[in-house]
Structure formats: C-alpha cells, structure tokens
C-alpha cells in the first residue's frame, strides 16, 4: 500500500492529533506542514524531522506540493476559509472541530464538498471515546427504553488556562465556548438522542474571568507555556487575554426534532474537570461517574434502585492515546475515509448541527434567553452526507 501523503495546516497545540497520521511505510505520512509562524514550523521540524517541508499558507502548500489529504488544525476562526480552499481543490479534508464559528460557513463547507465531491471529515473525536461509545451501545440496546431526555453537566476545571489566555476568549475569533468546548457535548447529546436541536434557549454570564485585571498578549506562547494546575482559586489567574467577552458559564435548554428534551451546562471555573451525562429513557436511565478509563457508567432500571445503588455498573474500557484513546481511532477512521470513502461514525451534518445549536444558543444567551429556532440542513445535503458522500 502506498502511503497517503498528508498535508497538515496549522501546527499548534492540537498538532498531536496529526502525529497519529504519520506512519511512514504503514499507510500514511505527513509530507508537508503549513503554518505562518516560525514557532509552528520549528515545532513541525522537531516532531517530524528537519527535512519536513514547511510553508506559510494553504495556498502555497497546494501550489508547491502534491498531497492526497489534508488535516486542518488551525484556530477555529480559520477552519472555514482553509477548508473551503482545500475542498475547492477536491482534496479529502479533515477539519478539527468546531467545524466553523458561523452557521453560514458550515453550510458553505457542506455545499462545496458536495459540489466538488471532496470528502469532508470533522474531528469530533468524542464519538470514539469509550465512555460515549459504551453509553451509545446501552441506549441502542433498548435497556432504558426510548430516550426522552438527556442532561449534560460539563465541569471545565482548566477553563482559565485553556480558554481565557488566548484567542478563545474573544467572540470575534471563537464566537462562544459553546462551540470550542460545547460542540463536543452537543454532538454527543444529538448522537445519543438520535435527533438534532430545532429550538434552543439559554442563560449565561462572564461571571469570574472578566473581573481578573492581570492581562497579557500571549500570542507568542502556546497553552503548554502558561498552564499551571496549582493556580487556585480561579480569581487568582494571571496573564489572561487582553480581550475577554465570551461567557465562562452557560446553560442551554434544547428541544430536538424527535421530541427529546435536553439540557447542557458548562462552567469554566470549577475545581473538578469531567463531563457527566444523564440519559433518561421511559424504562430506565444511565449516568457516567467520570469519563476516563476505569470510571463507571451506572444503570438504573428498577424502582428498587436509588442513590448509590444502581441496578448495574459498566466499567469504562481502557484505551491508549489522547482523549481517552479517541484520537488514534479518529485519525484511523479519517485515513480510511480519505482513501476509500464510505460512511463514518463521525458526521459532517452532525458537526454542522452542533455548531448551529451553539451559535443560536449563544445568541439566545446574549438576547436575554429568548428561544430561537435552529434552521435544519437542507434535505439534499443531509441525504448526501448521511449516505457516505457518494
């Protein structure tokens, strides 16, 4: 098998996911990296070897190098412009989540991918996380009956370091952390529920980090340079981004197209860091107690159960690699898709629906909680992508 030649666009904090695609002689190899910064280029040479060609832009990459697929790992605000360039060239494209920071851009990406018959794959790695896959298997088995409601609480204990010291803190560059962080969870809610949000309302606030006055332009650094787990409480954070205008706590209520009711809560100043999903059916419910390997999923399916007394317990499986083993599986699926096509666990339509829910949810928050209708993907586009982009 000839190696797929992979071009990587953006070699910053998320570059580690691309390294799973660099297996020379085993099916795929990174052959060129595009990054406008000298640091990004230096990081690429350190990770991939001094001979790795580096260029400044996606346009230069496409003009000067032949690639079989690309992986877009740029900041969120650049996802759409880069993907529209690679899709227009007909190249199989991996785009990190969130797909884009506006609904208009997500829809443009879907439309162009269909027009050019260019394979589009979005990096929603949580569909490959053991905790999510095991919860999905329980739901699909029918043990809890028909799903009626899903609640998700996301405690983002590292929020100050992860999202309030760089561009993530700016609406103009991230729109809302309901995209950068929430797109994961909204997609999982949709997947477990078997439907998409059609109406959303929310409340939220910039409750903590907006009051921190110690600020710094950190564009010369990456998150690993400033991360410090010993900083506590969150009000003690230093060197936050000069501009902070995204919410650090958000709560959404969602009505899905199949009648499932869902809620999502996200807080960036908690001491703990994990996701807690509760899926309620008409014959039982499940809830994850932690989301890492070795943690548990509890199942209640009788009236005799109670707090701390589930009817069954399932241990979350062990897997190696980033995000609970999800990243290697995600990249393996993309490489298979880039080479052969076909259906995938990850869905470009679902990625768009996660962005749309986050965008309209943020607009609801900023409009005093008014409920907003989320427009669906046009049916012809949904059919094309749901059928495996053939």
């Amino acid at each position: 098998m000839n190696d797929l030649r992979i071009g990587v666009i953006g070699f910053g904090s998320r570059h580690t996911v691309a390294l799973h695609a660099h297996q020379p002689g085993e099916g795929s190899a990174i052959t060129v990296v595009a990054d406008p910064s000298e640091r990004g280029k230096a990081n690429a040479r350190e990770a991939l070897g001094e001979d790795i060609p580096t260029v400044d832009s996606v346009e230069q990459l496409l003009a000067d190098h032949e690639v079989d697929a690309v992986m877009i790992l740029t900041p969120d605000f650049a996802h759409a412009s880069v993907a529209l360039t690679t899709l227009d060239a007909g190249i199989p494209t991996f785009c990190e989540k969130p797909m884009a920071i506006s609904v208009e851009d997500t829809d443009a990406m879907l439309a162009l991918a269909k027009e050019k018959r260019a394979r589009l794959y979005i990096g929603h790695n949580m569909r490959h996380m053991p905790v999510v896959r095991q919860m999905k298997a329980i739901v699909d088995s029918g043990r809890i009956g028909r799903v009626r409601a899903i609640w998700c609480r996301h405690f983002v204990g590292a929020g100050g370091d992860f999202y309030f010291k760089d561009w993530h803190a700016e609406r103009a560059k991230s729109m809302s952390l309901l995209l950068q962080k929430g797109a994961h969870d909204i997609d999982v809610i949709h997947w477990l529920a078997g439907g998409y949000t059609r109406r959303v309302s929310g409340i939220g606030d910039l409750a903590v980090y907006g009051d921190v006055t110690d600020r710094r332009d950190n564009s010369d650094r990456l998150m690993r340079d400033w991360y410090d787990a010993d900083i506590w409480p969150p009000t003690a954070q230093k060197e936050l981004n000069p501009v902070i205008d995204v919410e650090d706590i958000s709560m959404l209520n969602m009505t899905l197209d199949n009648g499932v009711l869902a809620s999502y809560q996200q807080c960036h100043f908690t001491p703990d860091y994990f996701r807690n999903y509760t899926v309620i059916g008409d014959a039982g419910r499940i809830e994850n107690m932690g989301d890492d390997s070795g943690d548990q999923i509890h199942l209640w399916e009788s009236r005799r159960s109670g707090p701390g007394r589930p009817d069954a317990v399932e241990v979350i499986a062990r897997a190696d690699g980033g995000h609970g083993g999800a990243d290697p599986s995600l990249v393996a699926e993309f490489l298979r898709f880039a080479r052969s096509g076909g259906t995938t666990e990850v869905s470009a339509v679902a990625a768009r629906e996660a962005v749309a829910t986050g965008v309209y949810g943020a607009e609801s928050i900023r409009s005093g909680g008014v409920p907003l209708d989320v427009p669906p993907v046009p049916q012809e586009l949904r059919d094309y992508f749901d059928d495996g982009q053939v």
Side-chain angles (χ1 to χ4, degrees), residues 149-180:
I150 299 180
W151 306 335
C152 176
R153 300 179 301 163
H154 194 176
F155 309 103
V156 191
D161 282 299
F162 282 3
Y163 303 113
F164 289 88
K165 295 188 178 182
D166 64 4
W167 56 268
H168 292 93
E170 302 179 34
R171 293 185 188 185
K173 296 178 179 177
S174 66
M175 200 287 169
S176 166
L177 295 177
L178 290 169
L179 273 66
Q180 164 58 223

Side-chain angles (χ1 to χ4, degrees), residues 20-326:
H20 295 294
H22 189 56
Q23 304 292 333
E26 298 180 20
S28 62
I30 298 172
T31 57
V32 59
V33 171
D35 194 300
S37 72
E38 288 307 313
R39 177 166 185 168
K41 294 183 179 71
N43 287 342
R45 290 191 292 271
E46 179 182 353
L48 302 167
E50 289 296 325
D51 322 345
I52 188 72
T54 59
V55 297
D56 293 327
S57 67
V58 60
E59 290 82 7
Q60 189 178 353
L61 184 153
L62 296 180
D64 298 342
H65 298 268
E66 291 188 7
V67 292
D68 302 305
V70 296
M71 299 182 71
I72 301 170
L73 305 175
T74 65
D76 299 355
F77 56 85
H79 286 179
S81 61
V82 175
L84 290 170
T85 300
T86 61
L87 293 170
D88 190 55
I91 297 173
T93 296
F94 174 108
C95 179
E96 180 60 295
K97 56 95 321 257
M99 187 174 177
I101 64 170
S102 76
V103 179
E104 293 77 12
D105 280 344
T106 61
D107 289 352
M109 290 165 65
L110 292 177
L112 186 62
K114 180 176 184 293
E115 176 189 343
K116 298 293 185 176
R117 295 301 191 266
R119 293 170 180 156
L120 175 61
Y121 186 95
I122 311 300
H124 273 281
N125 53 7
M126 282 192 66
R127 290 198 178 205
H128 290 272
M129 283 181 68
V131 61
V132 174
R133 296 184 70 82
Q134 288 173 239
M135 294 182 80
K136 174 69 170 168
I138 295 170
V139 168
D140 290 348
S141 75
R143 286 188 69 178
I144 64 170
R146 177 182 168 188
V147 173
R148 301 291 186 168
I150 299 180
W151 306 335
C152 176
R153 300 179 301 163
H154 194 176
F155 309 103
V156 191
D161 282 299
F162 282 3
Y163 303 113
F164 289 88
K165 295 188 178 182
D166 64 4
W167 56 268
H168 292 93
E170 302 179 34
R171 293 185 188 185
K173 296 178 179 177
S174 66
M175 200 287 169
S176 166
L177 295 177
L178 290 169
L179 273 66
Q180 164 58 223
K181 199 63 175 168
H184 271 315
D185 298 296
I186 294 168
D187 179 57
V188 170
I189 288 170
H190 288 166
W191 199 36
L192 295 175
Y196 295 128
T197 299
R198 294 280 70 92
R199 193 164 180 83
V200 63
S201 63
I203 58 173
D205 195 12
L206 178 56
V208 172
Y209 296 116
D211 295 333
V212 176
T213 58
D214 193 296
R215 305 292 179 96
R216 182 187 189 276
D217 181 352
N218 292 304
S219 57
D220 61 328
R221 302 195 292 173
L222 293 175
M223 190 269 291
R224 68 190 184 205
D225 299 321
W226 64 66
Y227 180 81
D228 185 352
D230 292 329
I231 294 177
W232 187 259
T235 52
Q237 278 284 0
K238 298 183 182 301
E239 300 183 338
L240 299 191
N241 197 61
V243 175
I244 298 178
D245 58 3
V246 297
E247 295 79 10
D248 53 19
I249 183 167
S250 302
M251 309 176 192
L252 298 185
N253 288 324
M254 298 167 276
T255 303
L256 277 58
D257 52 16
N258 58 359
V260 173
L261 303 180
S263 66
Y264 173 57
Q265 295 87 40
Q266 177 192 94
C267 182
H268 288 269
F269 46 88
T270 59
D272 49 341
Y273 195 172
F274 77 99
R275 294 172 167 92
N276 171 255
Y277 294 102
T278 295
V279 185
I280 305 173
D282 51 20
R285 78 175 182 93
I286 55 174
E287 181 175 353
N288 66 298
M289 305 298 172
D291 50 24
D292 288 329
S293 299
D295 290 332
Q296 298 179 345
I297 299 168
H298 288 189
L299 171 63
W300 290 266
E301 51 187 342
S302 80
R303 296 177 65 183
R304 296 178 178 83
S305 57
R309 301 192 308 275
D311 293 293
V313 173
E314 183 169 318
V315 177
I316 298 170
R318 182 167 301 280
D320 295 324
H323 290 90

